[in-house]
Amino acid sequence: MIATRLLKRSMFKRDPGFLSVSKPTSQLRFLATVEERNTGRQMPIGKPRSTPVSHDRATFTIRNGPVFSGKAFGAKSNASGEAVFTTSLVGYPESLTDPSYRGQILVFTQPLIGNYGVPSSARDENGLLKYFESPNIQAAGVVVADVAERYSHWTAVESLSDWCAREGVPAISGVDTRAIVTYLREQGSELARITIGEEYDADQDEAFTDPEQINLVRKVSTKAPFHVSSGSGDLHIAVIDCGVKENILRSLVGRGASVTAFPYDYPIHKVAHHFDGIFISNGPGDPTHCQETVYHLRKLMESSQIPIMGICLGHQLLALAAGARTIKLKYGNRAHNIPALDLTTGRCHITSQNHGYAVDASTLPSEWKEYFVNLNDSSNEGMIHKSRPIFSTQFHPEAKGGPLDSSYLFDGYLESVHKYKHSQTAFQPKRDNRPSPLLVDILAKERVGVAPDATLRPAFVEATA
């Protein structure tokens, strides 16, 4: 095994010809254009983490692997994290603001990124962000082959470069993303660094920060409950916020369910009787860091018959609470076109995914069965209880970005919530779980205390002079 590992590493020995991959500035493509006019949309306000846009020399270094040279186009700061890649063709504003990417350096396989700019932080009628999945960029860094410094789109208010600089996120272009992805696919996801304005220093290999050793969910989860009202229904869902995407909330609220989101470690089993359903959100990192959540979910299933649905990390946490195990995938699944087979119907759905861990289906207890399976790598994509209204999926039925093939799962979940609500009303005619006006007035309307700032980023970012 050690010999094999050394052999694989020898394939990528540091030599000037392969490891210092540079692209002349003249080859950087600026294919998109922007019409200089007043759009009437307000530009975002700068934040404390923001820096001027850097166009300095930059390097992308994979620990124990190759070094790639390119050009900076984001913040003038360095970053360390886990290098992962996505094959999605569009949706970079949604991907970069997905809390599941916290602590990761995101490599885009799409050759040109940034051509339609970055939209505003406008909110919809429910107070949810229209174009982003959280208020801030969550990725620790951005790696692309070519970046469009000029953009063109009716919703855009700034360039990708300006956005990354304003958010304090370093980014590098002009690197061979094909070689990077080939390495990550063959060797597995690995720690990496983006260094701005400095020559590569092998001694810095010791400075790589491993986000998997950190409870990332604690950083992205709301620090206090918040509420999103729906004006079209009478259901009330409790969401365990492990890093919930805005479109998950929108998918529930738009179907007539008001939502109250709780911190990831809140003892949800103690308040479940005030709700019609429980939902466990997506989130970043190793699910085994969330032992409090697993314990509370186990107590919930022991004490209540309430319908439960989980997505992504929520799927993994529910599986751990049920008694199954999780495993880390070699390089994960991050794309908008991954086929998942519904084992109950035999139908295949094209799904949006973003995860580095998976449930080991062979460890599911007898009262559970596998729901979906990945047709690319045969990994588990969902589970369902054989007799109770509980199920979860590894993929994202809410998409954003990606296809909506599996969005019907929200309808199925809320149908079970309706049935549960009616069954409870039969025994308690005066039972009403609709949120009180006082609750709606008191609670925050968006996630609390999750903005990355100078106190949260040092694990991944160190400012340069």
Side-chain angles (χ1 to χ4, degrees):
M1 185 173 182
I2 296 176
T4 302
R5 188 174 180 184
L6 292 174
L7 177 61
K8 288 184 177 179
R9 287 186 181 178
S10 69
M11 296 168 59
F12 295 93
K13 287 193 301 182
R14 288 188 170 87
D15 68 78
F18 176 74
L19 299 182
S20 185
V21 183
S22 302
K23 181 181 284 191
T25 304
S26 60
Q27 290 185 21
L28 293 178
R29 295 179 295 174
F30 303 96
L31 301 182
T33 59
V34 59
E35 185 178 352
E36 300 293 342
R37 60 186 176 88
N38 184 3
T39 63
R41 294 184 293 278
Q42 186 176 5
M43 288 294 292
I45 300 173
K47 298 183 179 181
R49 295 188 297 133
S50 63
T51 75
V53 175
S54 173
H55 295 292
D56 296 337
R57 181 185 185 276
T59 55
F60 176 66
T61 307
I62 300 176
R63 186 180 66 171
N64 300 323
V67 180
F68 298 86
S69 297
K71 181 181 177 182
F73 70 88
K76 190 176 178 61
S77 61
N78 298 337
S80 177
E82 181 186 23
V84 299
F85 65 90
T86 175
T87 61
S88 55
L89 302 181
V90 295
Y92 56 85
E94 294 91 338
S95 292
L96 290 174
T97 55
D98 183 347
S100 296
Y101 279 118
R102 175 65 75 93
Q104 295 179 325
I105 297 177
L106 184 55
V107 181
F108 288 90
T109 62
Q110 170 71 356
L112 179 66
I113 296 294
N115 53 310
Y116 57 89
V118 177
S120 71
S121 55
R123 293 180 179 268
D124 62 17
E125 64 276 10
N126 297 309
L128 298 170
L129 292 165
K130 284 186 177 180
Y131 308 114
F132 301 135
E133 293 309 301
S134 72
N136 301 99
I137 295 180
Q138 300 291 340
V142 182
V143 180
V144 303
D146 291 308
V147 63
E149 294 287 356
R150 297 172 65 84
Y151 58 87
S152 180
H153 197 272
W154 68 273
T155 63
V157 297
E158 63 181 330
S159 69
L160 178 58
S161 299
D162 290 336
W163 186 37
C164 287
R166 181 169 59 81
E167 290 282 328
V169 176
I172 181 173
S173 66
V175 296
D176 188 349
T177 52
R178 295 169 300 179
I180 294 172
V181 171
T182 297
Y183 182 90
L184 295 177
R185 281 181 61 90
E186 293 179 355
Q187 307 298 315
S189 296
E190 185 55 271
L191 301 184
R193 288 179 60 89
I194 294 178
T195 306
I196 308 298
E198 300 176 7
E199 294 290 336
Y200 169 73
D201 184 355
D203 292 337
Q204 287 190 345
D205 273 359
E206 300 301 322
F208 288 97
T209 301
D210 186 358
E212 295 300 321
Q213 302 304 313
I214 303 168
N215 186 348
L216 297 170
V217 173
R218 179 181 290 121
K219 295 182 179 296
V220 299
S221 175
T222 185
K223 304 305 180 287
F226 68 93
H227 183 81
V228 183
S229 293
S230 173
S232 60
D234 62 352
L235 299 178
H236 193 190
I237 304 295
V239 172
I240 301 175
D241 175 21
C242 300
V244 63
K245 292 172 61 179
E246 293 281 292
N247 207 43
I248 288 179
L249 299 176
R250 185 179 293 107
S251 297
L252 295 170
V253 173
R255 288 172 168 82
S258 293
V259 166
T260 299
F262 292 89
Y264 80 101
D265 56 353
Y266 192 88
I268 199 67
H269 59 286
K270 295 183 178 180
V271 298
H273 60 283
H274 293 296
F275 297 90
D276 303 311
I278 305 295
F279 191 99
I280 318 160
S281 83
N282 64 294
D286 187 343
T288 60
H289 283 305
C290 302
Q291 290 301 319
E292 303 101 321
T293 312
V294 172
Y295 172 78
H296 296 150
L297 288 174
R298 185 178 298 121
K299 299 295 289 185
L300 173 68
M301 289 189 287
E302 291 174 353
S303 61
S304 174
Q305 294 294 312
I306 194 168
I308 304 173
M309 178 179 176
I311 287 179
C312 197
L313 180 68
H315 164 61
Q316 299 162 12
L317 295 176
L318 190 62
L320 290 173
R325 293 196 299 268
T326 57
I327 57 175
K328 184 171 176 59
L329 300 175
K330 184 176 181 180
Y331 50 82
N333 288 309
R334 300 172 181 88
H336 293 166
N337 62 342
I338 297 180
L341 179 66
D342 183 340
L343 296 177
T344 65
T345 66
R347 294 181 178 178
C348 177
H349 305 287
I350 302 302
T351 64
S352 176
Q353 301 195 17
N354 172 19
H355 62 98
Y357 288 81
V359 172
D360 182 353
S362 67
T363 64
L364 287 175
S366 59
E367 62 268 25
W368 296 83
K369 64 180 180 180
E370 197 169 16
Y371 195 176
F372 292 90
V373 64
N374 188 308
L375 291 181
N376 285 343
D377 61 10
S378 299
S379 61
N380 174 260
E381 292 287 352
M383 67 179 192
I384 187 169
H385 198 277
K386 292 180 179 179
S387 61
R388 296 173 58 182
I390 308 175
F391 75 94
S392 55
T393 66
Q394 184 62 72
F395 56 84
H396 288 264
E398 85 288 350
K400 201 71 173 180
L404 295 170
D405 294 32
S406 55
S407 61
Y408 71 91
L409 291 170
F410 285 101
D411 299 320
Y413 168 63
L414 291 178
E415 181 180 349
S416 67
V417 171
H418 273 291
K419 291 180 180 179
Y420 175 77
K421 183 181 180 70
H422 292 157
S423 68
Q424 294 299 300
T425 304
F427 295 104
Q428 305 174 47
K430 295 183 179 181
R431 182 179 185 270
D432 186 359
N433 281 340
R434 287 179 297 180
S436 69
L438 180 61
L439 175 70
V440 172
D441 188 54
I442 291 176
L443 291 182
K445 302 303 181 287
E446 58 185 281
R447 59 195 89 199
V448 179
V450 297
D453 57 25
T455 64
L456 293 179
R457 289 186 65 83
F460 308 117
V461 177
E462 58 186 43
T464 59

